Amino acid sequence: MALPVAVQVYSVRDDAAADFPGTLKKIKEMGYDGVEFAGLNGYAPAQIKHWCDSLGLVPISAHVPLAEMLADMDKVIADYKAIGCEYIVVPYVTEERRPGGELFYQMVDEIRAIGQKAKEAGLVLLYHNHDFEFKKLENGQYGLDYLYENVAADLLQTELDQCWVKYSGVEPTEYLAKYAQRSPVVHLKDFFQQGEQEGDPYALIGLNENEKKANTAFEFRPLGHGVQDIPAIIEAAKAAGSLWLVVEQDQPSMGKTPMECVQMSMDYLKSLKK
C-alpha cells in the first residue's frame, strides 16, 4: 500500500507568500495528498482550514520555531488544531541548543515539556533533524539519539530528514529501522554532492546568511535527481510504520523554479508506481 505524500510548503515559500490559496490549489493539482506548513503568511487558521477542506488537502503538520513554542505554546496548539494538523514539528534549533552547545541539555528538557503540552491537547510533537544533531556527545552518542532516548516516545516522535541523515554519513534506511514505530512522518529530500563541502551548507537554505557557500559541491535536487535511493527509503518507511512522506526541497536547482521542482518530485514518485 502506497503511503500518502505531502509537500513542505517551505519548498515553495515565495509562491505561498504571493498567493497562498493558489499555491495550495497547484499543490493539490500536482497530486499531493497533504501539506506541511512553515508559517501561515498572516492568514487566520479558519481560513486555511477552509482552503484545505475545499481542495481535499490534508493539513498534516506544521514546522513551528522552537522560540515560538516556548513563548506561547497554547496559541500554537490552538492555531494548528483549528487548521486540523495532527503534528507540530520542531524544525531547527540555534547553535547554543545543538549538541555541544551550552543549552543543549536545557533544550531536551524544553522539548519534553512542550511534548507534554502537545500530548495533553491531542497533538503529537515531532523533531526535524539536520546534520548537526549527529555530532557526538562526551559519551560517544549522537545528540539526536540522546534526545530520543531522554524524551519518551509518547511525548516526542521523529521526523527524520533523510537528506541530512545521509549527509551526516548515516544510512537513511538503517536509521529509519532504528526508529521503527516512532517515525510517523518522513522527510524525503534528495541532493547532489561532489567532493567535500566547503563552507556552510546552511547558506543554501537562507540560514547563516553571513557565511557563503565556498563551492558548488552540494545542492538540493528534486527526488530522483540526486544521490538518494528513494525507493529503498520509501520501503524502509513502510516497514517502520510511517504514515506520511513529506517532500521538501529547500532551494530550487537544475534551472527550475520551486514549483517546477516539487512537480518533478511528484512526477518521479508517480513513475515508481508504474
Side-chain angles (χ1 to χ4, degrees):
M1 179 178 177
L3 292 175
V5 182
V7 66
Q8 167 51 258
V9 180
Y10 183 79
S11 307
V12 290
R13 54 195 174 277
D14 292 340
D15 296 270
D19 181 3
F20 206 174
T23 300
L24 294 176
K25 183 173 184 291
K26 289 176 182 177
I27 287 170
K28 178 62 177 180
E29 289 171 347
M30 288 178 189
Y32 285 97
D33 303 295
V35 285
E36 180 175 68
F37 296 105
L40 303 180
N41 291 303
Y43 291 99
Q47 177 65 74
I48 294 173
K49 175 177 171 51
H50 172 72
W51 288 332
C52 289
D53 287 349
S54 62
L55 291 169
L57 268 178
V58 181
I60 65 165
S61 51
H63 281 195
V64 181
L66 180 59
E68 190 175 326
M69 294 194 205
L70 292 171
D72 194 346
M73 188 59 182
D74 291 335
K75 183 178 188 305
V76 169
I77 288 170
D79 285 350
Y80 289 101
K81 283 199 74 172
I83 293 171
C85 292
E86 184 175 354
Y87 306 98
I88 299 292
V89 190
V90 178
Y92 182 83
V93 294
T94 49
E95 191 168 357
E96 70 276 6
R97 282 181 163 80
R98 300 174 189 173
E102 61 184 10
L103 298 182
F104 173 69
Y105 295 105
Q106 174 181 312
M107 184 270 293
V108 174
D109 291 338
E110 291 167 344
I111 285 181
R112 186 183 300 108
I114 290 169
Q116 181 64 47
K117 291 201 75 169
K119 178 184 177 182
E120 291 169 358
L123 295 170
V124 178
L125 182 67
L126 308 180
Y127 186 92
H128 170 270
N129 64 279
H130 291 77
D131 64 319
F132 48 73
E133 289 92 352
F134 289 93
K135 179 177 179 178
K136 291 187 176 180
L137 303 173
E138 300 86 350
N139 63 0
Q141 184 179 33
Y142 289 136
L144 191 60
D145 290 330
Y146 179 91
L147 171 65
Y148 292 133
E149 185 178 288
N150 286 274
V151 181
D154 64 329
L155 303 183
L156 181 67
Q157 301 271 297
T158 78
E159 183 177 70
L160 296 176
D161 185 302
Q162 299 292 35
C163 164
W164 296 118
V165 171
K166 187 171 180 66
Y167 181 83
S168 302
V170 179
E171 171 52 46
T173 57
E174 293 177 5
Y175 212 67
L176 258 174
K178 180 176 184 176
Y179 287 102
Q181 310 309 318
R182 197 175 177 176
S183 300
V185 182
V186 176
H187 262 211
L188 288 182
K189 185 187 296 181
D190 214 340
F191 69 100
F192 174 78
Q193 184 177 9
Q194 186 173 38
E196 292 191 8
Q197 172 69 22
E198 298 175 14
D200 183 0
Y202 295 105
L204 285 165
I205 59 175
L207 302 167
N208 299 357
E209 293 284 359
N210 293 328
E211 184 169 352
K212 300 302 180 184
K213 189 167 69 74
N215 63 16
T216 57
F218 180 101
E219 70 177 11
F220 300 105
R221 290 278 183 90
L223 300 184
H225 296 271
V227 302
Q228 295 276 48
D229 186 346
I230 300 298
I233 292 172
I234 292 173
E235 289 307 309
K238 292 178 183 177
S242 302
L243 302 175
W244 279 90
L245 303 173
V246 175
V247 171
E248 181 180 46
Q249 187 173 337
D250 303 72
Q251 289 286 354
S253 61
M254 302 174 67
K256 304 296 184 180
T257 67
M259 292 297 285
E260 287 172 336
C261 285
V262 296
Q263 177 71 73
M264 289 170 68
S265 287
M266 175 51 69
D267 290 344
Y268 171 74
L269 290 174
K270 288 178 180 178
S271 76
L272 297 179
K273 300 176 182 178
K274 295 179 180 178

